[in-house]
Amino acid sequence: MLPRRSFTWILLLFIIFSALFNPSSSNNYWTAKRMRMREKVRRMFYHAYDNYMTYAFPHDELKPLTKTFTNSLSELGNLKLEHLPQNYNGSALTLIESLSSLVILGNNTEFQKAVLWLSENLRFDVDARINLFECNIRVLGGLVSAHVLATDSTNRLPRESYKNQLLVLAEDLGNRFLPAFNTPTGLPYAWINLKHGVMENETTETSSSGCGSLILEMGALSQLTGDPRFESAALRALRKLWSMRSSLNLLGTTLDVETGEWIEFSSGIGAGVDSFYEYLFKAHVLFGKEEFWRMFHTAYLAVQKYFRHGPWYHEADMRTGRATHWQLTSLQAFWPGLQVLVGDIPAANSSHREFFHVWEKYGVLPERYLLDYQMLHPTEKYYPLRPELAESTFYLYQATKDPWYFEVGESIMKSLILYTKVEGGFASVRDVTTMQLEDHQHSFFLSETCKYLYLLFDDSFLVDQNYIFTTEGHPLPVLSSWHERLPEVYGLTNGTSIKGENSSRRSSAMSLQVCPATSLNTAGDGDQQLESACHILDARADHKCFSNEECGVDSTTCRRRSCSSSGYCGHWLRL
């Protein structure tokens, strides 16, 4: 007979192991945890939103420490509040940015109230200088997305109360953008006055993101209004920018819109160029143009070849490919999410874990981290509530269904509550070493950070739906009516395809959700090989090498190849 104490321990262990190895028990645990986390994110969103509505609305953004407001869209143009027109009360930026988040959180009542207020009060005929890129992704994107959500089949708004008012506002704003594109190159000015157009002596300097990341919002506006001018202007600028790439298929960071000359030749996947890569791929999905895929695939291979170093991405000179800055910037954390959409899951997971390691080290993600010195940048130690790590975490969970990403999301959420939540909202972090706060709650905290965390724990909004999220987190629907018509027999010329005996059908790692490449057995086609976008060729056709830098990335495993002691690239066993 066993002693009573021993019997108790054995029974306890039996219960624990039964729970661990019972799939339904495990599923119940994660389901319950997801619901708890979802409700915490919901409370985060409304703490930020309600304080904005109380202390800052209808101005642009909330200052949570002093419970006041800032008209940030105009201040981006270095205009002080006292220089703005007397009747200018802001653009209700945070309200516009919150529209799709309200829908995703299921608050159709507040969504309806916000739409009706904007319909009656928002006007763009104001003497204010704004940043074209920021106004495009935040205001135009927010209005277009909200219009789509207001008119979809769910009947969120009564038909008698909504008569396309948001689309009318979006079209008015789009028309005010068009003078910015009147340059010899077709590349738009970075700044424009909403009432007077391009001002005299306006700066001609812009970024690759600023002129190459307009196609989603302006293209969607053209599709919805039937006016092709918006998409044409954005597409002309994008094509011009792409034509300025180097022989290595790399772009710089800043350029002159009048001369079409590069100003800053060093670039990476972070600030100044990040959303250019993002919009190439997402435009291919949204509009179905093969041109966008060819651009993206070429650019992606160049990034993998010249910027990637293990799980990190440094910056390099577009002319030579030589590394210039070995640093992590917080905006780079969007890249794993983009790689998930492409299908390059192993590379996405590898980089994401490194970003999360830095998050854990400091409690939040610093704006700039010097990889070669393993230290913070001395002047860029802030964290402005950026969403990119949460965004990539959401995409990686969707691709892998690995519950570890719930743990990552929970860690991000706890840090935000612990370090940035104040009585008046959520404040940016001025210095991650001291957690000193700054008096600013950016609108993207509501449009992206809270949204991606919520979708991580509750993705019911996406069930039976197909959306592409803009760089500001605004959902746009993937509709066949927005796609170019393709011939019935169609084969990719610069991508991946699966060909049958009698026809070719469009196919890629992204569309088939296969990566790394897998041997596919399709009816009548036999055993076909699908190559993923992560493939990088070895420098030499005979695979000879002198260093690892001359070896590429394998097409079937997405693993980087290395140079052996005998001078050949391959996957070598290291003992």
Side-chain angles (χ1 to χ4, degrees):
M1 294 289 291
L2 288 170
R4 179 174 296 179
R5 181 175 297 177
S6 299
F7 179 78
T8 303
W9 277 109
I10 291 173
L11 181 61
L12 181 60
L13 287 171
F14 176 78
I15 293 172
I16 291 172
F17 279 103
S18 296
L20 286 173
F21 293 105
N22 185 336
S24 62
S25 175
S26 177
N27 289 338
N28 291 339
Y29 167 79
W30 288 113
T31 300
K33 182 161 188 172
R34 287 179 73 177
M35 295 305 99
R36 289 197 304 273
M37 296 304 102
R38 179 194 67 181
E39 292 311 306
K40 287 186 178 181
V41 176
R42 185 192 298 274
R43 290 195 292 271
M44 280 175 54
F45 174 86
Y46 283 113
H47 182 70
Y49 179 82
D50 291 344
N51 274 288
Y52 164 74
M53 295 301 291
T54 300
Y55 300 112
F57 175 77
H59 296 273
D60 288 348
E61 292 180 321
L62 171 68
K63 300 176 79 171
L65 298 179
T66 54
K67 298 180 181 178
T68 54
F69 61 84
T70 171
N71 285 315
S72 55
L73 270 182
S74 294
E75 290 176 348
L76 285 171
N78 298 319
L79 284 180
K80 303 301 182 185
L81 287 177
E82 60 266 25
H83 297 155
L84 290 171
Q86 269 191 329
N87 62 346
Y88 184 64
N89 291 320
S91 64
L93 173 63
T94 297
L95 181 64
I96 296 172
E97 291 258 70
S98 300
L99 291 173
S100 59
S101 297
L102 289 169
V103 170
I104 289 172
L105 268 66
N107 194 340
N108 290 337
T109 301
E110 188 67 17
F111 175 71
Q112 180 178 349
K113 286 170 54 180
V115 168
L116 294 180
W117 187 94
L118 291 168
S119 302
E120 296 171 0
N121 295 279
L122 184 61
R123 298 294 179 269
F124 295 117
D125 187 27
V126 291
D127 185 9
R129 178 176 178 259
I130 55 89
N131 181 277
L132 177 66
F133 169 74
E134 294 291 345
C135 200
N136 174 71
I137 65 172
R138 297 187 186 202
V139 182
L140 183 62
L143 292 173
V144 168
S145 174
H147 166 73
V148 170
L149 295 173
T151 55
D152 66 15
S153 59
T154 60
N155 297 316
R156 291 187 180 92
L157 296 184
R159 295 188 183 277
E160 62 274 10
S161 66
Y162 184 72
K163 302 185 183 301
N164 299 335
Q165 297 98 312
L166 296 185
L167 184 60
V168 172
L169 286 168
E171 187 173 14
D172 177 37
L173 183 59
N175 280 314
R176 295 176 190 276
F177 284 175
L178 292 178
F181 294 84
N182 293 332
T183 64
T185 61
L187 298 168
Y189 284 94
W191 305 95
I192 190 167
N193 185 290
L194 287 176
K195 190 168 189 175
H196 303 295
V198 178
M199 304 299 289
E200 187 177 358
N201 299 320
E202 184 58 84
T203 177
T204 59
E205 182 175 345
T206 190
S207 66
S208 294
S209 289
C211 57
S213 307
L214 306 167
I215 189 65
L216 291 190
E217 294 83 0
M218 296 187 73
L221 181 60
S222 283
Q223 293 291 336
L224 292 166
T225 62
D227 187 340
R229 293 178 302 151
F230 310 114
E231 183 175 5
S232 296
L235 184 56
R236 181 190 175 203
L238 180 59
R239 285 171 173 163
K240 174 60 180 177
L241 181 65
W242 181 241
S243 74
M244 294 168 58
R245 70 193 185 279
S246 71
S247 60
L248 305 179
N249 293 318
L250 297 176
L251 277 69
T253 303
T254 58
L255 58 137
D256 189 297
V257 301
E258 293 282 354
T259 66
E261 299 293 328
W262 288 106
I263 298 172
E264 175 56 60
F265 294 96
S266 177
S267 73
I269 58 169
V273 70
D274 49 352
S275 54
F276 163 76
Y277 296 110
E278 178 184 3
Y279 272 34
L280 283 181
F281 183 79
K282 290 183 176 179
H284 167 62
V285 176
L286 193 63
F287 303 119
K289 288 182 185 289
E290 179 64 18
E291 176 185 12
F292 294 136
W293 170 255
R294 290 197 300 269
M295 289 182 188
F296 174 78
H297 189 260
T298 301
Y300 185 78
L301 294 182
V303 166
Q304 296 298 92
K305 183 173 182 179
Y306 294 106
F307 295 161
R308 185 178 179 183
H309 183 79
W312 299 111
Y313 290 84
H314 58 71
E315 295 176 22
D317 190 307
M318 63 175 285
R319 300 163 296 185
T320 65
R322 293 196 181 114
T324 53
H325 303 292
W326 292 80
Q327 57 188 6
L328 169 154
T329 62
S330 61
L331 288 172
Q332 292 176 352
F334 90 98
W335 189 255
L338 179 60
Q339 289 184 303
V340 168
L341 294 178
V342 178
D344 201 347
I345 309 299
N349 177 64
S350 175
S351 294
H352 175 271
R353 287 177 183 269
E354 296 299 331
F355 280 109
F356 183 55
H357 174 71
V358 176
W359 178 286
E360 288 185 306
K361 182 176 181 178
Y362 293 102
V364 293
L365 195 61
E367 187 70 5
R368 200 174 295 269
Y369 181 78
L370 304 179
L371 296 172
D372 43 356
Y373 296 104
Q374 293 292 296
M375 61 176 284
L376 289 172
H377 189 281
T379 61
E380 297 186 51
K381 298 186 285 187
Y382 53 90
Y383 169 68
L385 307 175
R386 290 204 188 278
E388 285 76 16
L389 184 60
E391 175 186 3
S392 288
T393 304
F394 157 70
Y395 279 117
L396 274 161
Y397 173 73
Q398 289 294 318
T400 66
K401 301 304 179 184
D402 185 342
W404 179 77
Y405 294 105
F406 294 151
E407 305 290 346
V408 175
E410 183 179 16
S411 177
I412 293 172
M413 181 187 64
K414 285 181 176 179
S415 290
L416 290 170
I417 294 172
L418 177 63
Y419 298 120
T420 72
K421 184 179 180 182
V422 295
E423 184 181 359
F426 285 83
S428 300
V429 177
R430 185 187 299 273
D431 186 335
V432 301
T433 61
T434 63
M435 290 300 173
Q436 178 189 1
L437 297 179
E438 184 176 354
D439 198 11
H440 199 166
Q441 178 182 285
H442 291 272
S443 61
F444 55 69
F445 180 72
L446 289 155
S447 70
E448 296 184 85
T449 309
C450 290
K451 177 181 291 167
Y452 285 121
L453 286 173
Y454 188 88
L455 286 172
L456 172 65
F457 300 118
D458 184 353
D459 57 6
S460 56
F461 170 75
L462 300 173
V463 173
D464 297 325
Q465 301 294 326
N466 197 2
Y467 290 102
I468 277 291
F469 288 93
T470 70
T471 197
E472 196 71 8
H474 300 305
L476 295 174
V478 180
L479 304 172
S480 60
S481 59
W482 289 13
H483 278 215
E484 284 189 330
R485 282 197 170 274
L486 299 174
E488 289 185 10
V489 177
Y490 181 79
L492 281 162
T493 57
N494 187 20
T496 57
S497 62
I498 294 179
K499 298 182 179 180
E501 290 182 16
N502 302 318
S503 65
S504 300
R505 61 184 175 85
R506 192 176 183 201
S507 180
S508 71
M510 179 272 297
S511 64
L512 293 178
Q513 298 181 337
V514 176
C515 186
T518 311
S519 184
L520 298 177
N521 193 356
T522 54
D525 288 346
D527 204 32
Q528 301 292 333
Q529 190 74 17
L530 176 70
E531 183 179 294
S532 66
C534 62
H535 186 205
I536 298 176
L537 297 173
D538 295 335
R540 303 184 186 196
D542 60 4
H543 308 295
K544 290 183 179 180
C545 57
F546 294 99
S547 67
N548 290 339
E549 284 69 28
E550 296 178 272
C551 299
V553 176
D554 189 75
S555 64
T556 57
T557 66
C558 289
R559 285 174 53 202
R560 181 167 289 280
R561 293 150 64 83
S562 59
C563 189
S564 71
S565 57
S566 58
Y568 284 90
C569 292
H571 290 149
W572 310 112
L573 185 61
R574 301 288 185 185
L575 299 176

